[in-house]
Amino acid sequence: MDYRRQHIHNTGVYYFPLNSQAQQNMENAFIHFSNGAPIEYDPITVYERSISIIKQAGSVAWFDFSIICGRPRSQNDYLALTKIYHTMMIENLRAIKLNESDLILSFIYLVDILYDAHCRLIISSDVPLTEIYLADKSQQPFQRTLSRLIEMQSETYVYPEMIDKTLTNL
């Protein structure tokens, strides 16, 4: 049995609804991916701006959705975070209303950058994945983001090193 993948296989990386089980899954994922590194709670600094965190350890950072996406951030901020962290956790994701264009754009930019940098993304949310943004289904930017979020939940995305090992053993 591959215990490194068991957590993801059993619980995934998108936890819904927001309840004690989702919180426990987030804690377990944090412990799993931080590999026992010392935990820090101090805000992090990106481009001389402070960003509050829930906690961080090793290459894992845990944010609240309203902090990481609900404040003015540039794509460069998200890109800088991918240079430091290989796993990002976001709690309290909520439905984004149609009139919250800045918020949905920030979320789209974040997912795009994490996807392109192949960073893990672990989320706890009060809505199912398909109900994050209920705009017109023809709105391509979010449809691409939704597709990426679905792919980012796969074991091959979460554990690419395991796939690489399998391929080299063929």
Side-chain angles (χ1 to χ4, degrees), residues 109-124:
Y109 293 153
L110 174 64
V111 171
D112 284 350
I113 288 168
L114 295 180
Y115 180 86
D116 289 342
H118 208 92
C119 284
R120 290 181 192 101
L121 177 59
I122 301 167
I123 298 173
S124 68

Side-chain angles (χ1 to χ4, degrees), residues 20 41 53 56 65 70-71 75-76 80 83 100 104 106 109 114 116 130 132 134 145 151:
S20 61
Y41 300 92
I53 60 170
Q56 67 174 338
F65 174 68
R71 307 270 163 75
Q75 292 173 338
N76 290 333
K83 305 292 186 211
E100 294 179 301
I104 192 59
S106 289
Y109 293 153
L114 295 180
D116 289 342
T130 56
I132 295 170
L134 296 177
T145 300
E151 181 181 343

Side-chain angles (χ1 to χ4, degrees), residues 5-165:
R5 294 168 63 172
Q6 185 177 6
H7 172 78
I8 298 305
H9 181 72
N10 290 341
T11 63
V13 293
Y14 189 90
Y15 307 120
F16 160 81
L18 287 178
N19 59 21
S20 61
Q21 185 61 55
Q23 185 64 30
Q24 186 60 54
N25 287 337
M26 291 287 282
E27 289 291 343
N28 290 343
F30 182 84
I31 292 166
H32 175 77
F33 289 112
S34 64
N35 290 320
I39 298 172
E40 299 177 28
Y41 300 92
D42 295 330
I44 57 176
T45 302
V46 174
Y47 294 113
E48 300 180 15
R49 292 186 302 275
S50 179
I51 301 175
S52 296
I53 60 170
I54 306 300
K55 57 186 167 181
Q56 67 174 338
S59 65
V60 180
W62 187 337
F63 300 92
D64 186 272
F65 174 68
S66 64
I67 300 296
I68 198 64
C69 290
R71 307 270 163 75
R73 304 245 179 264
S74 80
Q75 292 173 338
N76 290 333
D77 294 340
Y78 297 141
L79 190 56
L81 290 172
T82 67
K83 305 292 186 211
I84 304 167
Y85 303 106
H86 297 102
T87 302
M88 293 188 42
M89 301 178 65
I90 300 174
E91 70 177 22
N92 300 319
L93 176 63
R94 62 172 179 78
I96 301 171
K97 298 175 183 144
L98 297 178
N99 64 347
E100 294 179 301
S101 57
D102 289 343
L103 186 59
I104 192 59
L105 281 176
S106 289
F107 185 67
I108 289 170
Y109 293 153
L110 174 64
V111 171
D112 284 350
I113 288 168
L114 295 180
Y115 180 86
D116 289 342
H118 208 92
C119 284
R120 290 181 192 101
L121 177 59
I122 301 167
I123 298 173
S124 68
S125 178
D126 71 348
V127 295
L129 188 63
T130 56
E131 294 178 20
I132 295 170
Y133 187 60
L134 296 177
D136 179 353
K137 297 298 181 199
S138 68
Q139 290 192 356
Q140 287 301 330
F142 188 72
Q143 290 308 302
R144 183 190 69 234
T145 300
L146 182 58
S147 175
R148 286 180 168 190
L149 285 169
I150 291 166
E151 181 181 343
M152 291 169 88
Q153 293 182 65
S154 70
E155 284 188 52
T156 56
Y157 187 92
V158 174
Y159 288 108
E161 68 277 8
M162 300 305 288
I163 302 306
D164 292 344
K165 277 185 185 175

